[in-house]
């Protein structure tokens, strides 16, 4: 927050200042401190834009994302997100926010003006997903249960993970070659998990990034855990 405030002070002469942030950072699964960010924005007369792609549909009491989680929905000016993750896994995205900003974007946003429209089935599926989220919390609750179970069990097995509560679970390995080798061996065992390494993540922080879903059964997660343990032992990642 101190660094952000320095940036705001450096840009004090700008006509418009906007703080742009992820709601959830995709490699670590950690949350932006939107309450503090909004406080700074109001102090320095800046706008706030949140990319909530890794939160829409399941973060917050009713799944409305990180602004809802932090209680700052009326203090965020622009939210961008995707239809390609929790809202059905298809394609496309959206921008929402203050009415005057959206009216400007309808006239000036090049991706909006010069891109093909989303296919009707994708729009219909996304709208249906939103209706389902409004009607029931069962998928959200199952996702939370699956996430807690996987996080607890993978840590118990001896893997080093980034702490947190998000369904993105980074399993830290450190070495890029090891991350690639582990991902390959997991795929051979029937588990698709992607290895990430520099420059996607900082040097020395290579990892396997696991993403838990409400569509996973307990048996799916137990299967994955068994394979992680088998491959982890073979590569001497865990004892």
């Amino acid at each position: 927050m101190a660094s952000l405030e320095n940036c705001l002070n450096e840009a004090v002469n700008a006509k418009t200042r906007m703080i742009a942030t992820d709601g959830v950072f995709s490699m670590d699964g950690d949350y932006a401190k939107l309450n503090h960010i909004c406080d700074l924005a109001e102090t320095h007369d800046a706008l706030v834009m949140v990319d909530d792609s890794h939160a829409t549909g399941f973060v917050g009491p009713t799944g409305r994302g990180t602004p809802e989680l932090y209680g700052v929905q009326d203090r965020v000016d622009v939210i961008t997100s995707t239809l390609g993750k929790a809202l059905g896994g298809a394609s496309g995205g959206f921008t929402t926010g203050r009415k005057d900003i959206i009216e400007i974007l309808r006239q000036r946003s090049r991706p909006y003006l010069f891109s093909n429209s989303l296919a009707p089935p994708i729009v219909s599926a996304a709208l249906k997903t939103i209706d389902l989220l409004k009607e029931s919390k069962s998928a959200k609750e199952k996702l939370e249960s699956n996430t807690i179970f996987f996080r607890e069990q993978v840590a118990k097995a001896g893997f080093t993970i980034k702490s947190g509560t998000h369904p993105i679970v980074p399993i830290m390995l450190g070495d890029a070659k090891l991350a690639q080798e582990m991902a390959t061996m997991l795929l051979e065992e029937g588990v698709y998990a992607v290895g990430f390494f520099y420059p996607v993540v900082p040097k020395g922080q290579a990892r396997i990034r696991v993403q838990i879903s409400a569509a996973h059964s307990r048996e799916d997660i137990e299967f994955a855990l068994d394979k992680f343990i088998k491959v982890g032992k073979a590569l001497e990642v865990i004892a």
Side-chain angles (χ1 to χ4, degrees):
M1 292 302 107
S3 177
L4 174 57
E5 187 159 28
N6 287 337
C7 292
L8 289 164
N9 287 327
E10 289 173 4
V12 68
N13 293 321
K15 181 180 178 181
T16 302
R17 288 177 292 175
M18 174 180 279
I19 301 168
T21 180
D22 284 345
V24 175
F25 297 96
S26 63
M27 287 297 130
D28 290 336
D30 51 350
Y31 295 81
K33 298 179 177 68
L34 290 187
N35 50 342
H36 299 309
I37 288 171
C38 288
D39 288 344
L40 281 174
E42 289 170 5
T43 299
H44 293 269
D45 193 26
L47 301 170
V48 177
M49 185 200 100
V50 178
D51 178 347
D52 225 21
S53 295
H54 293 89
T56 300
F58 62 94
V59 169
T62 64
R64 285 173 166 79
T66 48
E68 183 186 44
L69 178 69
Y70 285 98
V72 295
Q73 287 173 289
D74 60 339
R75 301 169 70 193
V76 174
D77 301 284
V78 180
I79 297 173
T80 64
S81 194
T82 179
L83 305 178
K85 292 183 169 51
L87 299 186
S91 64
F94 61 88
T95 302
T96 186
R98 302 196 184 281
K99 185 177 180 181
D100 52 351
I101 294 176
I102 299 305
E103 287 179 350
I104 292 171
L105 292 177
R106 288 189 185 279
Q107 302 299 322
R108 301 296 295 274
S109 173
R110 294 182 68 84
Y112 178 80
L113 295 171
F114 300 112
S115 295
N116 290 332
S117 299
L118 290 175
I122 292 174
V123 176
S124 179
L127 290 172
K128 181 61 178 178
T129 303
I130 292 170
D131 288 341
L132 290 172
L133 287 167
K134 289 178 180 178
E135 294 166 5
S136 171
K137 293 184 179 180
S138 60
K140 182 176 181 296
E141 290 169 352
K142 185 180 179 186
L143 176 60
E144 290 172 356
S145 174
N146 284 350
T147 300
I148 291 169
F149 178 73
F150 182 83
R151 281 182 169 273
E152 288 178 347
Q153 295 303 312
V154 80
K156 184 179 178 181
F159 290 98
T160 300
I161 66 172
K162 293 270 188 176
S163 62
T165 59
H166 197 276
I168 292 173
V169 187
I171 298 176
M172 306 305 294
L173 300 170
D175 182 71
K177 184 178 179 182
L178 177 61
Q180 291 173 284
E181 191 172 0
M182 187 168 179
T184 299
M185 291 177 67
L186 283 168
L187 187 59
E188 291 170 353
E189 294 289 337
V191 176
Y192 178 57
V194 178
F196 289 91
F197 41 87
Y198 180 83
V200 179
V201 296
K203 287 183 178 180
Q205 293 190 30
R207 67 196 65 185
I208 297 287
R209 186 180 70 161
V210 178
Q211 298 179 87
I212 304 301
S213 169
H216 289 140
S217 67
R218 182 57 57 93
E219 291 75 21
D220 291 333
I221 297 175
E222 289 174 346
F223 174 85
L225 286 164
D226 288 343
K227 300 305 181 183
F228 266 96
I229 291 168
K230 178 181 178 179
V231 172
K233 287 180 177 178
L235 294 174
E236 300 182 347
V237 174
I238 57 174

